Amino acid sequence: MNRLVDELASLPGIGEKSAGRLADYLIRQPEERVRRLTEAITDARENVHHCRECYTLTDTELCPVCSDDNRDHRTIMVVEDTRDMQAYEKTGKYTGVYHVLQGAISPMLGIGPNDIRLKELIARLEGDISEVIIATNSSLEGETTAMYISKLIRPTGIKVTRIASGVPVGGDLENIDEITLLRALDGRVEL
Ligand code: ZN
């Protein structure tokens, strides 16, 4: 029981108390239910990897967005993680593709440009790209990353835009409602 509580407490957002409650709940469940839960975790870990084009998490080689010929593959929206991409996908209004950095530059946490999928983004720009929309979060890390990317892309002559600051400062894209997301996208400014 202690081992289970320790494991649960090590998950993000779960404190010692919640871990205890969860453990208590789990051991009261039918064995079949617990087996399905552990299987779902194992399956996800084994089968989910990064899309070879945009680096989002997916269980196919190319994610559904990248493999969709009806999307505008010349417009790339740069986001920090898969949840941000899902937030924009939920609006159903964005027709371009994405690039998922899997993080943001943070000197404080020792995360530099080489620790996120930036080289991969630059490699994609060799193709036929008309616009890069930077949609990193409006946190210090997100802004630092946006600035870094815009400087990197400017010499290529490709249009670089940043989503409008309708997104509250420090706000994670995934927690923002769809209308605000679309307003931020429509109001994007050229860098
Ligand atoms: Zn993809």
Side-chain angles (χ1 to χ4, degrees), residues 65-73 95-97:
V65 173
C66 288
S67 53
D68 186 347
D69 286 340
N70 293 319
R71 306 284 296 224
D72 168 15
H73 287 257
T95 55
V97 293

Side-chain angles (χ1 to χ4, degrees), residues 44-58:
R45 185 61 192 88
E46 277 171 9
N47 298 318
V48 175
H49 54 261
H50 294 121
C51 167
R52 106 174 115 80
E53 187 86 11
C54 73
Y55 296 91
T56 191
L57 295 172
T58 177

